[in-house]
Structures are given as C-alpha cells and as structure tokens.
Amino acid sequence: MKSISDLSILIVEDEPLQRAVLAGNLRRMGAQKVLEAADGQEAIGLMGAHGVDLIFCDIGMPNVDGPQFIVRHAELAHGAQGAGRGRRGSSRCWYG
C-alpha cells in the first residue's frame, strides 16, 4: 500500500479558499504531489498530463461540474484500462 507521500492527489474545487485549505492540509499530512483544478474541464486536462491516484471533487462548479467530471473520468479510465494503461483507472474519487 502507498503512503500519502507516494500519492498523486488531485483537488477539483472552484472556490480558491476551499482548494487552498484542503491542499494545505494534505501537504501538512505529508502529501508531496498535490494538483489543483478550478473545474472538471481543467481537471481532465491535468489528468491527461499526470497520473492521479486520489481525487477530491466538488459537485457544483462552472464549465464541467462534479457529476460531469465523474462521468468523463470513468470514460477515460475505462478507455485507459482497455488500452492497457491502467494507471488512470486506479484513481479513487471523493466528491461532496
């Protein structure tokens, strides 16, 4: 099992203060790689460039909201697994 310092964590949150508080807490807990996106559209771009192990996702956001992002993430993960690129498919996502 990976420790928090080994994880690549993505925060998807449109409110800058909320995003900063969560990112700061994760870093204090030992997270080394914390990525931040202001909406689902930006998050999808980040996921294309970085492997992500854990996702914290807001529900109500502009452009691509949380539920739309979850659907898109599942589509990308399913496609990645089918193509033998399982890293994206192993992400865990919490939203609220």
Side-chain angles (χ1 to χ4, degrees):
M1 179 184 335
K2 292 182 177 184
S3 70
I4 192 167
S5 63
D6 298 324
L7 296 175
S8 176
I9 302 170
L10 174 61
I11 301 168
V12 188
E13 168 62 63
D14 61 319
E15 293 293 333
L17 179 60
Q18 296 286 10
R19 200 169 55 241
V21 168
L22 180 54
N25 286 336
L26 290 167
R27 288 185 179 105
R28 277 190 291 284
M29 291 172 25
Q32 301 290 317
K33 186 174 181 185
V34 179
L35 305 169
E36 300 179 36
D39 61 37
Q41 184 174 340
E42 184 180 353
I44 290 165
L46 284 172
M47 291 181 67
H50 305 276
V52 175
D53 299 301
L54 178 65
I55 302 166
F56 290 89
C57 183
D58 188 15
I59 292 176
M61 298 179 290
N63 301 320
V64 176
D65 66 16
Q68 292 167 330
F69 168 72
I70 300 293
V71 169
R72 184 70 180 126
H73 173 270
E75 291 170 353
L76 291 171
H78 181 37
Q81 287 175 344
R85 300 181 314 248
R87 181 146 171 82
R88 279 194 206 158
S90 64
S91 298
R92 302 291 181 249
C93 189
W94 280 263
Y95 58 96

